[in-house]
Amino acid sequence: IYDEAGKKIGEVSSGTLSPISKAIGMGYVHKDFSKVGSKIFIDVRNTKCPAQVVKVPFVESRYYRVQ
């Protein structure tokens, strides 16, 4: 995970496609970049892809539990 200047600020721990076919991932970033909305860049096969810090869950759940 990198900042706008290209400095490494964290590490990706996992990533996949979401249920709505968008790329999502989780990782660890320096505390200066941990605020929701922070603009970051993810290195995907040597290409810096723009991303942002968001709260979990990534997608609103639409299920219910039967009791």
Side-chain angles (χ1 to χ4, degrees), residues 12-23:
V12 173
S13 60
S14 64
T16 190
L17 285 178
S18 74
I20 57 172
S21 298
K22 297 281 185 176

Side-chain angles (χ1 to χ4, degrees), residues 26-55:
M26 295 180 70
Y28 298 94
V29 295
H30 189 276
K31 65 181 179 179
D32 294 341
F33 295 89
S34 64
K35 185 176 179 180
V36 172
S38 294
K39 303 295 181 195
I40 57 175
F41 293 86
I42 310 297
D43 186 355
V44 179
R45 297 180 192 94
N46 296 320
T47 300
K48 302 292 190 288
C49 300
Q52 72 177 21
V53 175
V54 298
K55 289 179 72 170

